[in-house]
Amino acid sequence: MMNRRLVAWLQAAPLAVVFAVFFLIPLALIVTVSFWQATDYELIPAFTPQAYLDLFSGCGGGADDLCVTLRTYGSTLKFALLTWAITGVVGFTVAYFLAFHVRSTLAQTVLFIVCTVPFWTSNVIRMISWIPLLGRNGLVNDALLGLGLVRQPVEWLLYSDFSVVLAFVHLYTMFMIVPIFNSMMRIDRSLIEAARDGGASPWQTVRHVVLPLSKTGILIGSIFVVALVMGDFVTVGVMGGQQIASVGKTIQVQASYLQFPAAAANAVVLLAVVLMMIVALMRLVDLRKEL
């Protein structure tokens, strides 16, 4: 019995070492630095909660006087929820089509590979590709003007909340499609046939059979999308024209100005918020039981 336990610990040791070196130790360093002091020239390893006090300064006022931190988190949460909702609908629809309407395994494979084509290029290139389309003199505005649908170029297509959410959906929809498709492929097709034989309409079959049995994939995809959007700063910077605030962008700016305690404190708070969101999602589905 002891030998089996020893073998199990030895097998888990390499992964545990990697987890500690690349996650636990950096996380501990970030938490530690968040309690340090900083001047214009140096970091002082002295314990102080000043970075957290500065982060939430002014947050005790009325509803009309929200602090910068709460407004920034509100903006980031807005992007996360909008992206999650849109990618959820698109991801479920695409996964449902691939799993239940494409009969050939070869066709499923080909279409699945087509979905991954955007990942063959970098995120920055995929974001920049929207600028010639959505810009003031871009293809979309030229088409709208040519068709007489508008009299002047539409300004909100680029460097706006719309363009940021559009880029997020473009970048992260695949993270929703893959786990949902995987869950749907595990569904026993006899259940679908039984629902149809029982007189259920296609919508009722999706609602009462497919959707409940796909909740594990939806949860996993939701965790991926929410975590990625909450920590993103490149997309907001590029597609927002450096004019839209987000928590990730704030941390990046603070780090670039060598305000490491402030950046670390912001990172710790962001991690806590994301973990609370993940815990809330996991309360809807017992992930360990489902897997």
Side-chain angles (χ1 to χ4, degrees):
M1 188 67 179
M2 290 297 296
N3 290 334
R4 290 183 178 179
R5 290 183 177 180
L6 180 60
V7 170
W9 280 107
L10 291 175
Q11 290 175 336
L15 181 59
V17 171
V18 172
F19 182 74
V21 172
F22 293 101
F23 180 75
L24 294 181
I25 294 177
L27 181 59
L29 290 174
I30 291 174
V31 174
T32 302
V33 172
S34 70
F35 289 101
W36 284 6
Q37 293 179 347
T39 66
D40 294 337
Y41 308 101
E42 63 179 341
L43 287 174
I44 303 173
F47 181 85
T48 174
Q50 189 59 46
Y52 293 93
L53 296 177
D54 292 340
L55 182 62
F56 292 103
S57 62
C59 293
D64 296 332
D65 189 27
L66 292 177
C67 65
V68 174
T69 299
L70 292 182
R71 290 199 299 268
T72 303
Y73 272 86
S75 174
T76 307
L77 285 170
K78 175 185 67 177
F79 290 137
L81 293 176
L82 287 174
T83 305
W84 169 75
I86 298 172
T87 55
V89 173
V90 175
F92 187 89
T93 303
V94 173
Y96 181 84
F97 173 77
L98 291 176
F100 296 105
H101 289 277
V102 179
R103 302 297 182 181
S104 170
T105 303
L106 177 60
Q108 283 181 338
T109 304
V110 172
L111 292 175
F112 197 81
I113 293 175
V114 170
C115 290
T116 66
V117 167
F119 285 82
W120 298 357
T121 59
S122 71
N123 287 2
V124 176
I125 293 176
R126 282 183 281 163
M127 283 185 289
I128 292 176
S129 67
W130 284 106
I131 296 178
L133 292 174
L134 303 178
R136 181 179 177 83
N137 298 315
L139 296 178
V140 174
N141 270 317
D142 286 347
L144 293 175
L145 291 170
L147 294 173
L149 298 178
V150 296
R151 295 184 178 180
Q152 58 185 4
V154 180
E155 301 288 347
W156 54 263
L157 289 177
L158 188 61
Y159 303 140
S160 62
D161 290 356
F162 169 80
S163 60
V164 172
V165 173
L166 179 64
F168 276 141
V169 172
H170 179 204
L171 294 176
Y172 300 138
T173 297
M174 196 62 189
F175 288 94
M176 190 70 80
I177 293 175
V178 173
I180 296 177
F181 175 75
N182 184 55
S183 293
M184 287 183 177
M185 291 302 293
R186 297 182 180 183
I187 297 176
D188 189 348
R189 295 307 189 263
S190 62
L191 297 175
I192 307 296
E193 296 297 332
R196 291 173 179 171
D197 293 341
S201 64
W203 168 246
Q204 290 175 325
T205 302
V206 171
R207 180 182 177 185
H208 296 291
V209 179
V210 178
L211 186 59
L213 295 177
S214 303
K215 58 186 179 181
T216 302
I218 296 174
L219 173 63
I220 295 174
S222 299
I223 292 174
F224 275 120
V225 171
V226 169
L228 289 169
V229 174
M230 289 294 292
D232 186 281
F233 65 91
V234 177
T235 305
V236 175
V238 174
M239 300 305 294
Q242 309 297 336
Q243 301 172 8
I244 298 176
S246 73
V247 181
K249 186 64 179 176
T250 301
I251 295 173
Q252 185 262 333
V253 171
Q254 290 172 333
S256 66
Y257 283 98
L258 306 182
Q259 299 173 1
F260 295 117
N266 228 331
V268 172
V269 174
L270 175 61
L271 176 62
V273 171
V274 173
L275 287 177
M276 287 189 292
M277 296 176 68
I278 293 175
V279 169
L281 288 171
M282 293 188 67
R283 288 181 66 88
L284 302 176
V285 179
D286 189 345
L287 192 59
R288 289 176 296 181
K289 180 180 177 180
E290 295 293 334
L291 293 177

